[in-house]
Amino acid sequence: MGIETESQDERQVSSESTAAEKKRWTLNDFDIGKPLGKGKFGHVYLAREKMSKHIVALKVLFKSQLKQSQVEHQLRREVEIQSHLRHPNILRLYGYFYDQKRVYLILEYAAKGELYKELQNCKYFSERRAATYIASLARALIYCHGKHVIHRDIKPENLLVGAEGELKIADFGWSVHTFNRRRTMCGTLDYLPPEMVESVEHDANVDIWSLGILCYEFLYGVPPFEAKEHSDTYRRIVQVDLKFPSRPIVSSAAKDLISRMLVKDSSQRLPLHKVLEHQWIVQNADPSGVYRG
Ligand code: AMP
């Protein structure tokens, strides 16, 4: 399939192929369709690669805005990492190209759009739906961690839904490829683990914490440490001030899993393969990995 060929940047050419063998994409290779959405740095369009007729999402970023916000390095890292990941629950990045003013990312098209809109519509998800999603994300994160990639920014806004209803982790803007412990402050407030709030070293277990927050938000419709003031959210995270409201009614098995992921000592968080074996996941997650409504 034509679209499988990767990026054109000579600096990123891998050892197994040379720049000459690689397809150099241009805008002329695509028929551009309807806009799919607007992000901070540009627009995303439905597009079709002319040769293969493969449908993709084309993300168009303005170089001037990337420069102004000093995120070129972050984008480079995102492209480098995401283009090497192959998992059914991780959005594919097929390649990229650029012209004088713009950078174009050729992305897998997620036909059912953004998960957070679904969550807003439903307010909260059923236990079957939440468990199916959490299991698929645990599998995707096990895959990432196996490749020494930490996502660090798992939250509803970064999840898209494919045509079959499968979740796709998108946005690797904050992810890192690392063998070392990191000290950088990143991620979004409500999903930040205590070790990142306190700027101490962190490792791949930050993603277990975020998965715990996500599980809570799926089931209750709000993240667990939400507060009016940022300083209160920080305090609640650091103290792991975890409370389970009486409504909506959530099973004790689900609360047990959340409590085992939201543990301050990152080394004591339930490992992802154990998340998959937890009774709430086993009893509720659809074995196909896809929530069909
Ligand atoms: P972003 O710049 O990544 O925040 O994207 C802006 C919006 O475009 C998102 O909120 C989605 O609604 C839409 N979008 C981005 N990427 C895709 C994709 N791969 N498939 C479908 N819709 C997308």
Side-chain angles (χ1 to χ4, degrees):
M1 185 174 59
I3 204 75
E4 289 287 330
T5 323
E6 283 179 3
S7 57
Q8 64 176 27
D9 188 337
E10 279 87 348
R11 277 163 299 195
Q12 313 223 2
V13 170
S14 60
S15 53
E16 66 263 24
S17 57
T18 65
E21 289 167 351
K22 293 221 167 190
K23 163 93 172 134
R24 286 165 185 271
W25 297 107
T26 73
L27 201 49
N28 271 331
D29 293 317
F30 298 90
D31 292 317
I32 306 298
K34 66 170 183 180
L36 293 172
K38 189 178 172 316
K40 200 170 163 207
F41 299 105
H43 293 80
V44 183
Y45 298 92
L46 191 63
R48 187 175 56 188
E49 200 272 318
K50 287 177 184 170
M51 290 281 280
S52 65
K53 304 256 189 295
H54 192 82
I55 299 290
V56 297
L58 201 62
K59 192 185 235 186
V60 185
L61 305 158
F62 284 91
K63 284 181 178 175
S64 54
Q65 290 176 24
L66 297 170
K67 254 207 176 82
Q68 207 169 27
S69 309
Q70 298 181 312
V71 291
E72 300 125 292
H73 177 71
Q74 197 175 313
L75 177 67
R76 239 174 234 287
R77 190 166 59 189
E78 177 174 0
V79 168
E80 176 64 18
I81 290 175
Q82 204 174 343
S83 63
H84 286 99
L85 300 175
R86 305 268 188 286
H87 189 277
N89 299 111
I90 297 173
L91 195 79
R92 278 289 307 271
L93 175 69
Y94 298 115
Y96 70 95
F97 55 96
Y98 47 80
D99 56 27
Q100 261 197 321
K101 292 211 168 114
R102 290 164 283 244
V103 178
Y104 303 83
L105 303 185
I106 312 166
L107 293 162
E108 177 182 1
Y109 171 51
K112 292 195 174 154
E114 297 162 299
L115 185 72
Y116 92 86
K117 281 200 185 138
E118 260 305 291
L119 187 57
Q120 271 181 343
N121 284 342
C122 306
K123 291 214 169 69
Y124 52 85
F125 293 148
S126 67
E127 299 209 12
R128 301 199 90 75
R129 185 172 191 175
T132 304
Y133 286 162
I134 294 297
S136 66
L137 294 174
R139 284 191 289 269
L141 289 170
I142 288 170
Y143 169 84
C144 286
H145 294 176
K147 291 191 167 294
H148 304 283
V149 170
I150 317 176
H151 188 280
R152 305 199 297 181
D153 202 16
I154 297 291
K155 56 182 175 174
E157 293 85 336
N158 286 342
L159 299 172
L160 294 173
V161 186
E164 307 296 322
E166 74 282 22
L167 282 199
K168 304 272 179 191
I169 303 181
D171 205 335
F172 278 70
W174 280 120
S175 62
V176 278
H177 196 182
T178 180
F179 292 92
N180 306 318
R181 290 170 154 269
R182 317 262 324 169
R183 292 189 66 157
T184 338
M185 179 82 156
C186 62
T188 309
L189 209 56
D190 277 305
Y191 279 74
L192 276 183
E195 61 272 31
M196 284 170 78
V197 169
E198 292 180 319
S199 292
V200 293
E201 287 179 338
H202 64 266
D203 56 22
N205 293 341
V206 294
D207 286 337
I208 305 177
W209 175 277
S210 307
L211 198 60
I213 303 277
L214 197 64
C215 190
Y216 186 107
E217 184 161 357
F218 282 170
L219 293 168
Y220 289 98
V222 286
F225 306 120
E226 201 175 50
K228 280 211 182 75
E229 300 293 332
H230 282 184
S231 55
D232 288 333
T233 303
Y234 278 141
R235 181 188 48 75
R236 294 194 63 200
I237 292 170
V238 173
Q239 293 173 353
V240 196
D241 180 18
L242 182 61
K243 292 174 186 142
F244 295 108
S246 55
R247 288 280 183 282
I249 294 169
V250 168
S251 69
S252 48
K255 293 183 216 172
D256 179 78
L257 175 60
I258 292 169
S259 308
R260 288 175 196 273
M261 289 195 276
L262 297 182
V263 173
K264 180 156 178 168
D265 178 351
S266 66
S267 70
Q268 297 303 308
R269 289 174 199 151
L270 193 68
L272 292 168
H273 69 274
K274 296 263 186 206
V275 170
L276 290 174
E277 292 168 6
H278 190 276
Q279 56 148 325
W280 180 71
I281 294 288
V282 173
Q283 284 168 5
N284 289 283
D286 192 313
S288 71
V290 177
Y291 174 74
R292 292 172 208 282

